[in-house]
Amino acid sequence: MPSPSISILSLGSQVGSLMRGKNQDAHGRLIYDYFRGRSLGVEIVERDDGFINSGAGGAYLSKYQDWPARERSAIRFAKGRVLDIGCGAGRHSLFLQEKGLDVTGVDVSPLAIRVCRARGLKDARLMSIDDVGPSLGRFDTILMLGNNFGLFSNRIKARVLLRRFLKIMNPKGRIIAESLEIYKRPVDPSHRRYHLRNIRLGRMPGQVRIRIRYRNLATPWFDYLLASKKEMKEILRGTGWRVKRFLSSKGPSYITIIERD
Amino acid sequence: MPSPSISILSLGSQVGSLMRGKNQDAHGRLIYDYFRGRSLGVEIVERDDGFINSGAGGAYLSKYQDWPARERSAIRFAKGRVLDIGCGAGRHSLFLQEKGLDVTGVDVSPLAIRVCRARGLKDARLMSIDDVGPSLGRFDTILMLGNNFGLFSNRIKARVLLRRFLKIMNPKGRIIAESLEIYKRPVDPSHRRYHLRNIRLGRMPGQVRIRIRYRNLATPWFDYLLASKKEMKEILRGTGWRVKRFLSSKGPSYITIIERD
C-alpha cells in the first residue's frame, strides 16, 4: 500500500508552481519537526535520475552568525520593504525584521509558513513565486537566497517573472539572488552526466528536477534552476534587469545583486 | 538516462542474498567515503512503501566509548573464535581483535570489506550470510549486532540458517544478536501501517523491505527482519537455540544472548 503522497507524478507535468498539500509538505514537515525538536533535520533531496543527496535542513533555522560569509555580506544590500521569496523557516526575513525593515515572506510550504509565524515573522504568506504580483504592493528588495534563484525553474519562466517583478519594485529596487556556478571544478561526474542529459533534452544544464523527501512524505517533482554567472547574465538580458555585482565564495555558491537596467 | 544501478528490481525477487556489485554498493561507498573524509556519513534507508529514513552512517566506524550502552554490555559475551556477520566497517570485529580474540568478519559489501582491511582487520571476507558454512571452520561466538538479526530476512530463512549455524559452532557457542522491539510504544503510525500491510501479505510485521541509497547508488531491495522479543523466541523454538538473556535499552533496541538448547 504505497502512500499516495509519494506516487511519482508524470515527469512531464509542471508541478513546481502547485501549492503543496499537507501530504506533500515534506519540506515543511522537516522544518516543523526540527523546530519542535523532533528531528535531527536531515534534508533529503532526490533528483529524477535517482541521485540522492542529504544536507543539514537545520540550516533553514540558522542564526546570522552561522550563515555562510556570502550571505552575511549579501544581506547588507537589503533595504526598504523586502519580499523574501521561498522564505523557508524565515531566517533571512526574521533577521531583517529585527533590523527594523518591513518584510513579507512567502513560501509554498504550509508548515514552513506556520514555523515563520511561530518564530515571530509578522507577514508570512502561503504563496508560490508564480502568484507574486501587485496584490502584495511594492518592494525595494526581493530576496532569493539559499539557491532560490532556482525557484525561477527554467529560462523562460525566469524571464517572464523577472519582467513581472519590475511592476512590483520601486525604481531603485534590487533582487538579491543565490545560485551555483555549476561548472566550477571539480564537477562531480554524476552531475556532469546530468548536465549533458539536460542539454540533449533541450533543458538548461543545471535545470534539476528534484523533490524533497522526509519520512513518508514527498513533495511533487519540481524544476529548480542552478545557473552559472554567465547563464544568469544571459537570462537577465532584455528583462529590464542587470547584474550589479557578484559575491563569490570558495565553493560553487555565489550571490548576485541585480538592479534595474 | 537513469543510472541502471537505481532501477527498481522486482519487489517479489529474493535479492537480499545477492552479492552486491560495484554499482549497487551504496552502503559500502558511504562507509568508504566517510572513512576517507569525503562524506558526512548520512545513511539513507528507503522502505518499499516510500518511507525514507536518515541516520548517522558514521556510527559504522564508531569507537567502543561511543557505542550504545547495550552494545558495550553485549560485547563482553563474545569469547573464543568470533564470526561477525554483516561486519560493516568492522567496529565490533576490530575491538575484539584488539582484545586478542580470533575474529572473522563477513559482509556483502565489497567496499565495507575494503575498509575493514584498511583498518587492520586480519580476516575480512566478502560473503553473504547465506554462504556462511563449514568452510569457515568452527566458532565460539557469532555476532549480529547493529540490528543484524535482520539479516535473517524472514522466519523461514532464519530457522534454516540457525540450524546451519549449529554445525559451525562449538558446543558452548553463542549468538549475540540485536533487533528492535517493534511494538514498543509509541509506535509511529507510518510503521504501524506497514506492520499491518505485512500481516495482510503473510509476512512478519517487522519484515521490512528496504534498500540503502547513497548519491547515485542504491543497493538491491532486500528483506530485513525486525523482531520483537516474543517473535524472536518463537523463531528460535525447535532450532536447537534458545534465549539465554535479553539486554534491553530505553528505546526499542535490544540485544539477545542466544545459546544452545
Side-chain angles (χ1 to χ4, degrees):
Chain A
M1 191 178 61
S3 158
S5 67
I6 59 113
S7 67
I8 298 178
L9 298 179
S10 159
L11 294 183
S13 67
Q14 272 298 337
V15 294
S17 63
L18 294 180
M19 214 57 71
R20 291 172 192 167
K22 189 184 167 199
N23 289 332
Q24 298 176 326
D25 195 6
H27 175 69
R29 177 56 67 181
L30 170 69
I31 288 173
Y32 185 83
D33 284 0
Y34 183 81
F35 176 60
R36 294 289 186 203
R38 296 180 195 147
S39 164
L40 295 174
V42 175
E43 183 182 57
I44 298 176
V45 180
E46 185 179 27
R47 201 169 59 190
D48 68 343
D49 63 339
F51 191 95
I52 201 157
N53 195 37
S54 60
Y60 288 108
L61 287 92
S62 61
K63 300 279 182 200
Y64 175 82
Q65 57 269 28
D66 297 320
W67 297 356
R70 64 183 178 280
E71 288 196 7
R72 295 200 304 270
S73 301
I75 204 75
R76 291 201 297 263
F77 289 87
K79 55 172 185 176
R81 188 164 178 238
V82 178
L83 175 64
D84 184 1
I85 301 180
C87 62
R91 70 189 191 279
H92 302 118
S93 286
L94 286 162
F95 174 82
L96 294 174
Q97 182 176 280
E98 280 162 29
K99 293 280 177 197
L101 277 67
D102 179 8
V103 183
T104 297
V106 299
D107 203 288
V108 295
S109 160
L111 281 171
I113 290 300
R114 193 161 150 191
V115 169
C116 282
R117 289 173 182 155
R119 295 176 81 202
L121 186 59
K122 293 173 195 162
D123 188 8
R125 306 189 192 191
L126 186 62
M127 180 181 281
S128 158
I129 190 172
D130 297 335
D131 299 321
V132 166
S135 69
L136 291 171
R138 292 182 83 88
F139 296 91
D140 301 291
T141 305
I142 287 181
L143 275 192
M144 302 175 82
L145 290 175
N147 281 334
N148 271 348
F149 186 83
L151 295 175
F152 282 136
S153 297
N154 58 57
R155 188 195 307 261
I156 291 172
K157 187 168 151 185
R159 291 171 59 81
V160 168
L161 290 171
L162 282 162
R163 288 199 182 93
R164 192 182 298 165
F165 286 178
L166 285 174
K167 299 176 194 161
I168 63 162
M169 292 289 272
N170 289 322
K172 298 235 169 203
R174 54 169 70 119
I175 302 169
I176 304 172
E178 186 166 1
S179 193
L180 280 178
E181 186 71 75
I182 60 171
Y183 309 114
K184 188 162 182 172
R185 296 187 182 191
V187 179
D188 185 280
S190 297
H191 300 332
R192 179 69 187 142
R193 278 194 296 276
Y194 193 82
H195 299 165
L196 293 171
R197 182 188 83 148
N198 266 346
I199 291 168
R200 284 197 301 278
L201 293 171
R203 293 156 60 84
M204 286 189 65
Q207 196 176 329
V208 296
R209 188 159 286 171
I210 56 176
R211 60 177 181 173
I212 313 295
R213 295 180 65 171
Y214 177 64
R215 296 177 53 86
N216 61 335
L217 304 177
T219 65
W221 292 97
F222 60 99
D223 276 2
Y224 201 66
L225 180 59
L226 307 174
S228 69
K229 292 173 183 170
K230 183 161 172 258
E231 288 167 340
M232 196 185 282
K233 276 186 186 172
E234 287 167 1
I235 287 169
L236 295 181
R237 194 168 298 145
T239 62
W241 297 100
R242 66 180 170 80
V243 171
K244 171 76 173 177
R245 79 163 75 179
F246 290 120
L247 306 172
S248 299
S249 68
K250 282 184 185 173
S253 289
Y254 71 94
I255 296 173
T256 313
I257 311 298
I258 298 168
E259 295 188 348
R260 282 176 190 262
D261 226 346
Chain B
M1 191 177 62
S3 158
S5 66
I6 58 111
S7 68
I8 298 177
L9 298 179
S10 159
L11 293 183
S13 67
Q14 272 297 340
V15 294
S17 64
L18 294 180
M19 213 58 70
R20 291 173 190 165
K22 188 182 168 200
N23 289 332
Q24 298 175 324
D25 195 6
H27 175 69
R29 176 56 67 181
L30 170 69
I31 288 174
Y32 185 83
D33 283 0
Y34 183 81
F35 175 60
R36 295 288 186 204
R38 295 179 196 147
S39 164
L40 295 175
V42 176
E43 183 182 55
I44 298 175
V45 180
E46 185 179 27
R47 201 169 60 189
D48 68 343
D49 63 339
F51 191 95
I52 201 156
N53 195 36
S54 60
Y60 288 109
L61 287 92
S62 62
K63 300 280 182 200
Y64 175 83
Q65 57 268 28
D66 297 320
W67 298 354
R70 64 181 178 280
E71 288 195 7
R72 294 200 304 269
S73 300
I75 204 74
R76 290 201 298 263
F77 289 86
K79 56 173 185 175
R81 188 163 179 240
V82 178
L83 176 63
D84 184 1
I85 301 180
C87 61
R91 70 188 191 281
H92 303 118
S93 286
L94 286 162
F95 174 82
L96 293 174
Q97 181 176 280
E98 279 161 30
K99 294 279 177 199
L101 277 68
D102 179 10
V103 183
T104 297
V106 299
D107 204 288
V108 294
S109 160
L111 281 171
I113 290 299
R114 193 161 150 191
V115 169
C116 283
R117 289 174 182 154
R119 296 176 80 202
L121 187 59
K122 292 174 195 160
D123 189 8
R125 306 189 192 191
L126 185 62
M127 180 181 279
S128 159
I129 190 172
D130 297 336
D131 298 321
V132 166
S135 70
L136 291 171
R138 293 182 84 85
F139 296 91
D140 302 289
T141 306
I142 287 181
L143 275 193
M144 302 175 83
L145 290 175
N147 281 336
N148 271 348
F149 186 82
L151 295 176
F152 282 135
S153 296
N154 58 57
R155 187 195 305 265
I156 292 172
K157 188 167 151 183
R159 291 170 59 81
V160 168
L161 289 172
L162 282 161
R163 288 200 181 93
R164 192 183 297 166
F165 286 180
L166 284 174
K167 299 177 194 161
I168 62 162
M169 292 289 272
N170 289 322
K172 298 233 169 206
R174 55 169 70 118
I175 301 169
I176 304 171
E178 186 167 1
S179 195
L180 280 179
E181 186 70 77
I182 60 171
Y183 309 114
K184 188 161 182 172
R185 296 188 181 191
V187 179
D188 185 279
S190 297
H191 299 332
R192 180 69 187 140
R193 277 195 297 275
Y194 193 81
H195 299 164
L196 293 172
R197 182 189 83 149
N198 266 345
I199 290 167
R200 283 198 303 278
L201 293 172
R203 294 156 58 86
M204 287 190 66
Q207 196 176 327
V208 294
R209 188 158 287 170
I210 56 175
R211 60 177 181 172
I212 313 294
R213 295 181 66 172
Y214 177 63
R215 295 176 54 86
N216 60 333
L217 305 177
T219 65
W221 292 95
F222 60 99
D223 275 3
Y224 201 65
L225 180 59
L226 306 174
S228 70
K229 292 174 183 170
K230 183 162 173 256
E231 288 167 340
M232 196 186 281
K233 276 186 186 171
E234 287 167 2
I235 286 170
L236 295 181
R237 193 170 298 144
T239 62
W241 296 99
R242 65 180 171 81
V243 172
K244 172 74 174 179
R245 79 161 77 177
F246 290 120
L247 306 173
S248 300
S249 68
K250 281 184 185 171
S253 289
Y254 71 94
I255 295 172
T256 314
I257 311 299
I258 299 168
E259 295 187 347
R260 280 176 191 263
D261 226 347

